[in-house]
Amino acid sequence: MDLRENSEVELPESQKFSHITSAPLNKEFPSVQGLVPYFCARNPFVKPGDEEDDVIKPSNVASAMLIFVWFLLSPFWNVSGWSVGNSLVQAVLAVCFIEGNSGMFHIVFDNENLNQFPIIGPLAKDFQIHHVQPAAITKVNIIEYLQQVHLPGVLIIPLQVFLTREWVSMRPFWFFTILYLHVMFLAHRWAHMLPGENYKTVSWAQKHGLLLSMKHHVQHHKTYDCNYSIFMGW
């Protein structure tokens, strides 16, 4: 099966990745013969109209809860812990926290051995489908796209905020963590967009290593065994 017909753009070889027969998906999905475009937005293994629904669906309740927690952590609600020095330190620590956890999350859910487990299995499989339709994330409404990260975020972050409530110096850390969670998710989306489709500021940040770039991320889609972080790509 040659999947080049699924691409909406004719790409140079550097922006295509070849076989996925050696990737973690090879037992879950049929082998692909030929080149799979980096900008493929449709799952080649299902017929139009038969696509499976996303396991993580946008939830307005989860979104409202996470945004509410974010507001409670902000200096607009309470200035405790928001000294200039501490805020700068916590902002940097939050960058490292999101970057590292995005990589760890990616490593775990790329593992097809999880696919048969209850609850986590469907999540892992849904996560791995991105490898056969990489550009699908650029076609989703941006609000609905960001809402996909709200449910995991609201299940984890508010609990951590509660457990560290006695340390007011942590308030900026969790504030920036929620902020960067959204930027990380957007950075992954932007890394799958044509350079001409991105904002100039995004392209500049990608070029200078402040956001995940296509050049860096495409290496992950070639082998699935490197470049797991999807925030800045460190």
Side-chain angles (χ1 to χ4, degrees), residues 21-219:
T21 52
S22 61
L25 290 175
N26 69 326
K27 296 179 182 177
E28 187 69 43
F29 300 99
S31 297
V32 174
Q33 304 299 321
L35 297 174
V36 181
Y38 182 70
F39 292 103
C40 181
R42 294 182 294 275
N43 187 340
F45 301 133
V46 297
K47 296 179 181 179
D50 292 340
E51 291 86 353
E52 296 181 1
D53 292 334
D54 291 334
V55 176
I56 299 179
K57 300 180 182 298
S59 169
N60 292 333
V61 174
S63 298
M65 290 176 63
L66 189 63
I67 292 172
F68 180 66
V69 171
W70 187 57
F71 176 73
L72 292 181
L73 292 166
S74 75
F76 298 105
W77 179 261
N78 189 331
V79 296
S80 297
W82 278 95
S83 66
V84 174
N86 185 59
S87 299
L88 292 174
V89 170
Q90 300 299 338
V92 172
L93 291 176
V95 168
C96 299
F97 180 77
I98 289 294
E99 180 76 336
N101 277 278
S102 74
M104 291 300 298
F105 184 90
H106 206 164
I107 290 171
V108 170
F109 282 88
D110 266 3
N111 186 351
E112 66 162 1
N113 292 322
L114 296 178
N115 293 4
Q116 307 307 318
F117 283 80
I119 302 177
I120 196 173
L123 293 173
K125 182 178 177 181
D126 190 57
F127 187 87
Q128 294 161 21
I129 288 176
H130 169 65
H131 288 149
V132 295
Q133 51 182 36
I137 62 174
T138 69
K139 308 301 181 183
V140 182
N141 175 279
I142 193 167
I143 300 300
E144 293 183 357
Y145 174 71
L146 286 174
Q147 283 186 299
Q148 293 177 16
V149 81
H150 287 171
L151 182 57
V154 83
L155 291 175
I156 299 172
I157 295 177
L159 175 61
Q160 302 303 316
V161 172
F162 176 77
L163 294 175
T164 59
R165 65 190 183 281
E166 299 297 330
W167 293 280
V168 294
S169 61
M170 292 287 291
R171 295 182 72 252
F173 174 82
W174 293 118
F175 176 88
F176 286 117
T177 292
I178 294 174
L179 175 64
Y180 295 155
L181 180 68
H182 292 78
V183 179
M184 175 271 292
F185 219 52
L186 286 171
H188 185 208
R189 176 184 171 110
W190 290 330
H192 282 279
M193 295 177 66
L194 290 167
E197 296 177 352
N198 269 329
Y199 298 107
K200 291 183 179 180
T201 51
V202 170
S203 298
W204 182 90
Q206 290 175 332
K207 181 179 179 181
H208 291 83
L210 299 177
L211 288 175
L212 179 70
S213 68
M214 180 191 303
K215 181 179 180 180
H216 181 88
H217 190 54
V218 74
Q219 300 303 316

